[in-house]
Amino acid sequence: MTTDTNGDEPMPAEEQLTAADTKTVALVTGANKGLGRETVRRLSERGWRVFLAARDRERGTRAADALGAEFVQLDVTSDDSVAAAAETVARRAGRLDVLVNNAGVGGQRLDPADMGADRLRVLYEANVFGPVRVTHAFLPLLRKSGHPRIVMVSSALASLTYAGDPARPESGRLSLDYASSKTALNMIVSQYARALPGFKVNAADPGNPATDMNQHTGMHTVAEAAESVIRLATLDREGPTGGFFDRNGPVPW
């Protein structure tokens, strides 16, 4: 038994658990800054219980404390780190309702002809294998939710339709490693959505937010960029699954 928020009567442990169980539980990867941090802020404002996941313990803890979230150390490229994070969430919350796979890295401005497999492998480890590693580890906790949702943060550069349209700015952006990693991630979304009945699994295009990934040269604020992520994270039971969306609606594959 512990004291209630008014400091008067002790609150029975079973009542505390009941109150905690009513909160939606979410985890956001790569969340100590930029789009991930903004996503945590917006979800926390809804009264959700949010786990802010990041590689750097000091920065992650500082961000979580500032946002009223809970820090969990998680490196999406490490099996051991991801497994430990899943164990931590299981111990603290017992389930997960929403997983936002936000962590990722940007590519270098190289001509595709100059891009070797080693450079490609670096981005795929974080942008493709990372979300699969995290999703696989957290599926047991998501299956304990009555309304599980998974959001994969993708990019308009992943769209083959846009890439083939000379009128679109994405067509003029050559990014063999980054663009192809996000296209692969979109197919992973489609596969999960069809394999996981009862889940809502979608890809979010945040636009081009000004973050460290692009040296803050993007045209959107992180608040604007987070809109598509928040919309998919908060879908109701009638919402779509297996789709690709920006803040204005569906994006063509």
Side-chain angles (χ1 to χ4, degrees):
M1 298 175 72
T2 56
T3 303
D4 69 12
T5 54
N6 294 319
D8 299 325
E9 294 293 330
M11 182 182 294
E14 59 271 19
E15 290 185 20
Q16 290 184 323
L17 290 173
T18 300
D21 285 345
T22 64
K23 286 191 173 186
T24 300
V25 181
L27 181 140
V28 184
T29 66
N32 64 285
K33 61 181 180 179
L35 177 60
R37 181 188 173 110
E38 177 66 11
T39 300
V40 170
R41 185 185 72 80
R42 299 271 284 273
L43 295 180
S44 295
E45 282 185 345
R46 290 175 169 263
W48 289 15
R49 183 177 184 181
V50 184
F51 287 91
L52 185 155
R55 289 183 300 173
D56 189 292
R57 179 175 294 277
E58 181 179 347
R59 293 177 182 176
T61 300
R62 189 162 58 242
D65 289 346
L67 299 174
E70 298 180 47
F71 173 70
V72 58
Q73 191 167 29
L74 192 158
D75 178 352
V76 302
T77 67
S78 166
D79 289 338
D80 290 343
S81 176
V82 172
E87 290 175 4
T88 297
V89 175
R91 186 175 65 254
R92 294 187 193 172
R95 76 173 195 282
L96 185 64
D97 300 301
V98 178
L99 171 61
V100 179
N101 280 301
N102 166 73
V105 295
Q108 295 185 347
R109 295 294 185 90
L110 288 178
D111 187 287
D114 297 326
M115 180 71 65
D118 287 344
R119 289 187 183 274
L120 200 66
R121 190 173 292 112
V122 170
L123 258 76
Y124 272 57
E125 188 62 52
N127 295 357
V128 180
F129 305 147
V132 172
R133 182 179 287 113
V134 172
T135 301
H136 181 73
F138 281 91
L139 271 178
L141 291 176
L142 286 161
R143 287 192 168 107
K144 293 182 179 181
S145 170
H147 181 34
R149 285 145 283 172
I150 301 173
V151 183
M152 303 285 196
V153 176
S154 184
S155 167
L157 291 173
S159 171
L160 295 176
T161 301
Y162 285 170
D165 181 356
R168 293 286 311 187
E170 293 84 3
S171 179
R173 170 75 183 275
L174 295 177
S175 177
L176 175 61
D177 50 0
Y178 183 78
S180 68
S181 73
K182 292 300 186 178
T183 302
L185 183 63
N186 280 2
M187 177 53 77
I188 288 167
V189 166
S190 177
Q191 293 284 320
Y192 276 138
R194 286 176 281 147
L196 297 170
F199 280 63
K200 302 298 181 183
V201 187
N202 292 285
D205 167 24
N208 185 21
T211 64
D212 287 353
M213 187 178 290
N214 56 29
Q215 292 76 51
H216 295 270
T217 60
M219 64 179 67
H220 301 118
T221 65
V222 290
E224 292 171 331
E227 289 180 16
S228 61
V229 180
I230 299 299
R231 187 172 302 165
L232 295 175
T234 59
L235 285 175
D236 60 27
R237 296 179 189 278
E238 304 304 314
T241 190
F244 183 21
F245 303 90
D246 63 15
R247 64 194 180 109
N248 298 311
V251 176
W253 295 111

